[in-house]
């Protein structure tokens, strides 16, 4: 969890203890024969970690529709989802979400992240607000593609120019049959936009923290990313 004497002055203070979790609603992508849903087991683990440090969470989707979740055909995942159905039955619409009500933002791994969020106007504004107030942001895997929206203009480049990030690397994407149908190649996109991309071996646990931005390479890295997010939030 790190040295608690570490200088946290780059983070702005907040009184909220609610983490905003952004989930997709797209159930499929053109020519992509794979689930676009967020893994239920990842959300279950995240909830446990947040609860342990007295953090709550709220769910948001683009239009307030039920999120697309992947139960992996496991009965224990289905059971947890039934027990926690109130969390997902009425998510907030992005257009109604305000940064000031939350202490952090989480975007889990989803192949739909780029298509659904990157060019969404409400998400773009929300992301700008989180960055402006230097509140912790966590992405996992392809969830980092949500950060790859349009630049804000010639005098206002990509929000994460010069940041160190990770996410699904080419070596992990290229082994999938849908590789050629992805909306963007995350590693190349980050480098082309002026970010610095790093990764470890395929499927390894790898998390990068740069200021208020936490990025996890894949699902295996998500829980460690959540723990680091909790540490940043509890130090504010």
């Amino acid at each position: 969890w790190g040295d608690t004497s570490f200088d946290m002055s780059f983070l702005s203070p907040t009184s909220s203890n609610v983490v905003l979790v952004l989930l997709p609603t797209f159930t499929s992508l053109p020519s992509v024969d794979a689930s676009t849903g967020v893994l239920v087991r990842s959300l279950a683990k995240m909830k446990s970690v947040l609860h342990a440090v007295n953090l709550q969470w709220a769910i948001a989707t683009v239009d307030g529709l039920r999120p697309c979740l992947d139960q992996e055909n496991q009965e224990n995942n289905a059971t947890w989802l039934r027990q926690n159905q109130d969390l997902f039955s009425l998510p907030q619409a992005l257009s109604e979400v305000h940064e000031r009500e939350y202490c952090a933002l989480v975007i889990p791994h989803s192949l739909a992240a780029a298509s659904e969020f990157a060019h969404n106007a409400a998400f773009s504004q929300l992301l700008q607000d989180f960055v402006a107030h230097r509140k912790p942001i966590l992405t996992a895997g392809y969830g980092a593609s949500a950060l790859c929206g349009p630049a804000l203009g010639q005098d206002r480049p990509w929000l994460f120019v010069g940041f160190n990030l990770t996410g699904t690397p080419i070596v992990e994407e290229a082994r999938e049959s849908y590789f050629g149908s992805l909306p963007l190649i995350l590693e190349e996109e980050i480098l082309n936009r002026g970010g610095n991309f790093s990764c470890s071996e395929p499927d390894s646990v790898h998390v990068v923290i740069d200021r208020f931005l936490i990025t996890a390479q894949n699902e295996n890295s998500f829980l460690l990313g959540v723990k680091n997010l909790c540490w940043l939030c509890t130090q504010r």
Side-chain angles (χ1 to χ4, degrees):
W1 293 85
D3 179 0
T4 55
S5 65
F6 185 75
D7 180 12
M8 306 296 289
S9 61
F10 61 87
L11 293 171
S12 61
T14 176
S15 59
S16 173
N17 70 331
V18 183
V19 175
L20 181 66
V21 182
L22 183 59
L23 299 179
T25 59
F26 287 6
T27 57
S28 63
L29 293 175
S31 304
V32 174
D33 185 21
S35 173
T36 58
V38 172
L39 294 181
V40 170
R41 60 180 165 88
S42 293
L43 295 175
K45 292 176 181 178
M46 178 175 65
K47 183 186 178 187
S48 296
V49 173
L50 295 177
H51 179 75
V53 293
N54 297 315
L55 289 174
Q56 303 175 38
W57 70 351
I59 305 298
T61 60
V62 169
D63 295 314
L65 301 176
R66 286 186 69 95
C68 180
L69 304 175
D70 186 352
Q71 301 179 34
E72 304 174 282
N73 296 318
Q74 298 293 320
E75 182 56 35
N76 56 333
N77 291 335
T79 299
W80 183 88
L81 194 56
R82 286 194 297 271
Q83 294 171 343
N84 294 272
Q85 59 181 330
D86 290 346
L87 291 171
F88 306 101
S89 58
L90 292 172
Q92 298 182 75
L94 266 179
S95 59
E96 300 173 354
V97 169
H98 301 286
E99 159 273 325
R100 63 179 177 272
E101 299 173 354
Y102 304 98
C103 63
L105 172 67
V106 175
I107 309 172
H109 170 70
S110 169
L111 294 178
S115 300
E116 194 158 0
F117 306 132
H119 296 278
N120 179 274
F123 174 71
S124 178
Q125 183 59 59
L126 181 69
L127 187 61
Q128 290 177 54
D129 292 341
F130 267 90
V131 171
H133 291 91
R134 306 178 77 82
K135 290 186 175 181
I137 299 169
L138 167 65
T139 68
Y142 205 68
S145 64
L147 307 180
C148 297
L152 304 179
Q154 291 184 348
D155 58 336
R156 300 178 66 194
W158 187 46
L159 290 170
F160 302 99
V161 169
F163 275 71
N164 299 292
L165 302 89
T166 188
T168 310
I170 290 176
V171 68
E172 289 184 11
E173 290 177 336
R175 64 190 180 185
E176 305 294 345
S177 60
Y178 53 76
F179 175 59
S181 300
L182 290 172
L184 56 83
I185 305 303
L186 181 59
E187 182 174 340
E188 292 182 348
E189 190 73 19
I190 288 173
L191 292 172
N192 290 339
R193 288 169 174 265
N196 304 306
F197 187 90
S198 73
C199 64
S200 185
E201 297 178 350
D203 305 316
S204 295
V205 174
H206 181 65
V207 172
V208 175
I209 306 174
D210 190 342
R211 289 157 277 187
F212 53 87
L213 179 64
I214 307 168
T215 49
Q217 179 172 321
N218 46 40
E219 284 286 358
N220 294 336
S221 309
F222 182 53
L223 190 59
L224 181 59
V226 173
K227 290 180 177 179
N228 280 279
L229 180 85
C230 290
W231 183 71
L232 288 184
C233 288
T234 56
Q235 297 303 306
R236 297 168 69 87

